[in-house]
Amino acid sequence: MYQYHKWLRSFHAVARTGSFTQAALFLSLGQPTVSEQVTALERKFAVELFHRRGRNTVLTDAGQQLYAITQGIFGQEDEALQLLQSFHQKKKGLVRIGAVSPPIAMSLTYELMRRHPEIEVGTSFTTEAETLERLYNFDIDVAILALTDVDRRLHTQLYQTHPIVAVVRSDHPWVTQQSVDLREVEGQALVLREQGSRTRQLVENACQVKGIALNCVMQLNSREAIVHSIAQGIGIGFVSAVEYAELPGTRAIRFAGDPLHIDYFLCCLAVRRNRALIADLFNTRPGADPPRSEATQATDPATKPD
């Protein structure tokens, strides 16, 4: 079994990094050693795990099935080492949160730190695809995402819902109105997120239903870049209300009746749903007080009547 473990470790590293060279660096081994171990695994079980095309290494169907299993095996090994390291650092645990939205993630981070001050919390921000990949690789423990499709490998729970608003320059005619009808978007020069953005999908779908033609003059892969382009007068854009960071020269405008909403989901791997810290995150609600002893409640000024 020890021999198989070494072979599987090399296979997993190649599958994860996409090349034998990067896998060797990842494992601190020589590239010939990694190649020999993967080849030994293929020969032992008469299976082809990779298509080798020059410098490109692509998983076969069999390789993809095996990688789905080794993600759990070596992900849990990493988790065990992180736990041991947290003991060494006098911490009682480590939770790593990944997200596409800093405001949403930081509210969850704050709640977790408030409830468990003894826990180390790490928060990182990447695209939805990158965040999901990190979740599958056990690089993060939970993710907050505006999911379009739910993978059966995930356990998900609706976390928060926020309206989508328009962002305009401060000299735009809409700034004198409390709200605007969605139909007024037609004819406006629009600065949109890249294709695949959940916000863009929701805007396009709602406008298509109402027969509203969209005039996209620019697309950007960053909400911050969109707001800056709006300040320069390039057009108007759309963001989740919670993600709008006011920039001088811009204003957020709500749509009448809030016809556009975006849902944010808390996600973890289904196999890890019952881990204590992860389970606590799923039970956390923003603003909910952590459990306290009767003695603490009696002496806490916050529990006294006004």
Side-chain angles (χ1 to χ4, degrees), residues 108-299:
L108 181 64
T109 300
Y110 169 75
E111 287 298 328
L112 184 62
M113 294 175 67
R114 189 172 72 96
R115 294 167 68 91
H116 299 286
E118 76 284 2
I119 292 173
E120 181 180 353
V121 182
T123 308
S124 58
F125 307 101
T126 52
T127 65
E128 180 169 312
E130 291 171 328
T131 301
L132 275 172
E133 185 64 23
R134 297 186 70 211
L135 192 63
Y136 294 140
N137 285 335
F138 286 73
D139 291 331
I140 56 176
D141 303 302
V142 295
I144 304 176
L145 299 167
L147 291 173
T148 52
D149 298 303
V150 178
D151 192 305
R152 61 183 179 83
R153 292 174 289 175
L154 300 178
H155 173 77
T156 64
Q157 175 179 294
L158 181 63
Y159 183 61
Q160 290 183 13
T161 298
H162 293 277
I164 294 173
V165 299
V167 180
V168 303
R169 200 162 82 160
S170 55
D171 60 358
H172 193 281
W174 288 359
V175 300
T176 61
Q177 304 179 52
Q178 290 187 342
S179 64
V180 298
D181 190 273
L182 183 61
R183 294 186 183 278
E184 295 186 52
V185 167
E186 188 157 13
Q188 297 286 334
L190 303 179
V191 182
L192 300 179
R193 288 291 299 270
E194 73 282 4
Q195 292 286 348
S197 158
R198 183 59 175 154
T199 302
R200 177 170 179 166
Q201 288 177 353
L202 291 168
V203 170
E204 289 180 333
N205 291 344
C207 289
Q208 184 177 19
V209 169
K210 293 181 177 292
I212 301 169
L214 299 181
N215 176 29
C216 178
V217 299
M218 179 179 289
Q219 67 175 27
L220 299 167
N221 64 353
S222 158
R223 68 180 64 86
E224 292 79 10
I226 285 178
V227 176
H228 279 280
S229 71
I230 292 166
Q232 295 299 316
I234 294 175
I236 71 171
F238 306 92
V239 298
S240 168
V242 72
E243 295 176 334
Y244 172 63
E246 186 171 355
L247 182 72
T250 67
R251 288 277 302 278
I253 307 295
R254 296 189 77 141
F255 291 106
D258 289 329
L260 301 173
H261 292 84
I262 187 165
D263 294 329
Y264 295 95
F265 293 87
L266 187 62
C267 315
C268 74
L269 292 176
V271 296
R272 304 183 69 202
R273 169 65 181 91
N274 293 320
R275 298 293 173 92
L277 291 178
I278 294 176
D280 186 71
L281 275 175
F282 276 85
N283 294 328
T284 296
R285 293 290 183 273
D289 289 328
R292 295 183 294 174
S293 66
E294 292 183 5
T296 302
Q297 295 179 27
T299 58

Side-chain angles (χ1 to χ4, degrees), residues 74-88 94:
F74 294 103
Q76 291 184 38
E77 278 193 0
D78 290 342
E79 186 179 10
L81 291 173
Q82 289 157 10
L83 177 63
L84 291 170
Q85 188 172 13
S86 72
F87 292 150
H88 178 68
L94 169 67

